[in-house]
Amino acid sequence: MFAVLGASGHVGTAVTQYLLQQGQAVTVVLRNPQKAAAWAQRGASVALVDVHDTDALAQVLQKADRAFVLNPPASPALDTDKAERATVQSILQALRGAKLEKIVVQSTYGAQPGTECADLGVLYDLEQGARQTGIPLCCVRAAYYMSNWLSAVPEARTSGKVSSLLPATLPVPMVAPQDVGHLAGQLLMAPVQEVGVYTIEGPTPYTAQDVAQVFAHILQHPVQVEDIPPTAWLAYYKANGFSDKAARSYANMTAIFINQRYDRPANPVKGVTDLASYLRAELAGCTP
């Protein structure tokens, strides 16, 4: 039996769907009971557990053979570093009490030790802690998610612009969440001996301008990129509901990513989904 954390998110959903399509028994770990029925109808078992409840999470993992693990994002209104590291520790403690054959951890390009660098530091801690459990481990480090652009749709529709922290013409590796989920599902089902760090990105790098062009085609009106300069990053994050500490952490992560202060993988897995196909599918039925 496979346990999947985060099945209400983009990647967790893709992992679960992949495993169910392969005829596997899956238990999804959810906090929101309103999402339980949909998964039950698809054939998954449901465990309603808050990942902060270490004992309850451990009980679920003790019944599983293998598990997909991700750290759910904290509300940006909080001190996200502190909150997400607390969640990491709860998950790791639950893993230590389980007798799993294998775990697959969702991580990110640029994962590195450090504080106040948002996901980069938090997910590095998750990777290291999972490794220390001694359970055979695969870490899936994903590039910038194409799904991050979905929040820009309302602005693109109403004002014809996309506000972007990424410079308009800077090519960056991006990936569709379903491709990450499919890779994670394959690794979960692979032999126990198949372990290590796996990196994944889309068929080619894309720019914010590429995103705007796809939006323009779908929405049938011009869409332009509005660059947000580094001097305005903190204000931008705060205006979007981030606490002071969260804004600083995310601004630092943005700088690391844009300036490529991390080792780019030499031979990443290439996802099959291109940017235009992803956005068109997600915005299907969107009216201009």
Side-chain angles (χ1 to χ4, degrees):
M1 192 270 284
F2 296 85
V4 176
L5 275 63
S8 58
H10 293 285
V11 176
T13 293
V15 174
T16 307
Q17 290 175 336
Y18 177 85
L19 294 172
L20 290 174
Q21 289 167 0
Q22 305 306 310
Q24 302 301 318
V26 183
T27 294
V28 293
V29 179
L30 301 174
R31 184 174 61 178
N32 187 347
Q34 295 179 348
K35 297 183 178 181
W39 278 121
Q41 291 173 358
R42 297 180 188 182
S45 299
V46 177
L48 292 174
V49 174
D50 188 321
V51 293
H52 297 95
D53 188 340
T54 306
D55 291 339
L57 181 58
Q59 290 178 15
V60 174
L61 295 177
Q62 286 165 7
K63 298 175 184 177
D65 299 303
R66 303 184 180 194
F68 173 74
V69 176
L70 57 72
N71 196 51
S75 166
L78 303 175
D79 178 346
T80 51
D81 281 18
K82 181 179 179 180
E84 291 179 3
R85 282 188 163 86
T87 307
V88 164
Q89 290 309 311
S90 179
I91 293 171
L92 292 176
Q93 184 61 34
L95 287 172
R96 295 184 192 106
K99 297 181 179 178
L100 294 163
E101 298 174 350
K102 187 178 189 180
I103 50 179
V104 175
V105 168
Q106 178 188 344
S107 189
T108 182
Y109 273 29
Q112 57 190 265
T115 58
E116 291 195 346
C117 56
D119 286 348
L120 307 187
V122 171
L123 295 181
Y124 178 84
D125 286 355
L126 178 59
E127 287 185 8
Q128 296 303 306
R131 190 167 289 112
Q132 291 167 9
T133 66
I135 303 169
L137 169 69
C138 292
C139 293
V140 177
R141 291 186 174 181
Y144 189 91
Y145 285 110
M146 295 176 185
S147 53
N148 290 338
W149 295 105
L150 298 179
S151 61
V153 173
E155 182 184 38
R157 181 188 294 118
T158 58
S159 66
K161 69 177 183 179
V162 172
S163 298
S164 176
L165 297 165
L166 303 179
T169 59
L170 176 69
V172 298
M174 301 184 192
V175 68
Q178 63 264 35
D179 289 344
V180 180
H182 290 171
L183 174 61
Q186 292 167 2
L187 293 171
L188 276 169
M189 293 181 60
V192 171
Q193 297 78 12
E194 192 168 333
V195 295
V197 176
Y198 295 78
T199 55
I200 180 169
E201 58 188 57
T204 186
Y206 300 100
T207 68
Q209 186 61 50
D210 292 329
V211 174
Q213 289 175 353
V214 175
F215 282 164
H217 179 75
I218 296 171
L219 300 173
Q220 300 179 27
H221 64 68
V223 178
Q224 302 296 323
V225 178
E226 184 174 281
D227 283 343
I228 301 171
T231 54
W233 288 351
L234 283 176
Y236 175 82
Y237 278 119
K238 290 178 184 180
N240 283 276
F242 284 66
S243 69
D244 288 349
K245 289 185 177 180
R248 287 197 300 271
S249 185
Y250 273 74
N252 287 338
M253 177 177 67
T254 301
I256 290 170
F257 183 74
I258 289 177
N259 297 316
Q260 296 188 9
R261 298 203 299 266
Y262 64 93
D263 294 331
R264 284 283 299 273
N267 296 294
V269 175
K270 291 289 189 176
V272 298
T273 307
D274 63 83
L275 178 68
S277 296
Y278 175 77
L279 292 176
R280 287 192 190 106
E282 291 295 320
L283 273 66
C286 178
T287 56

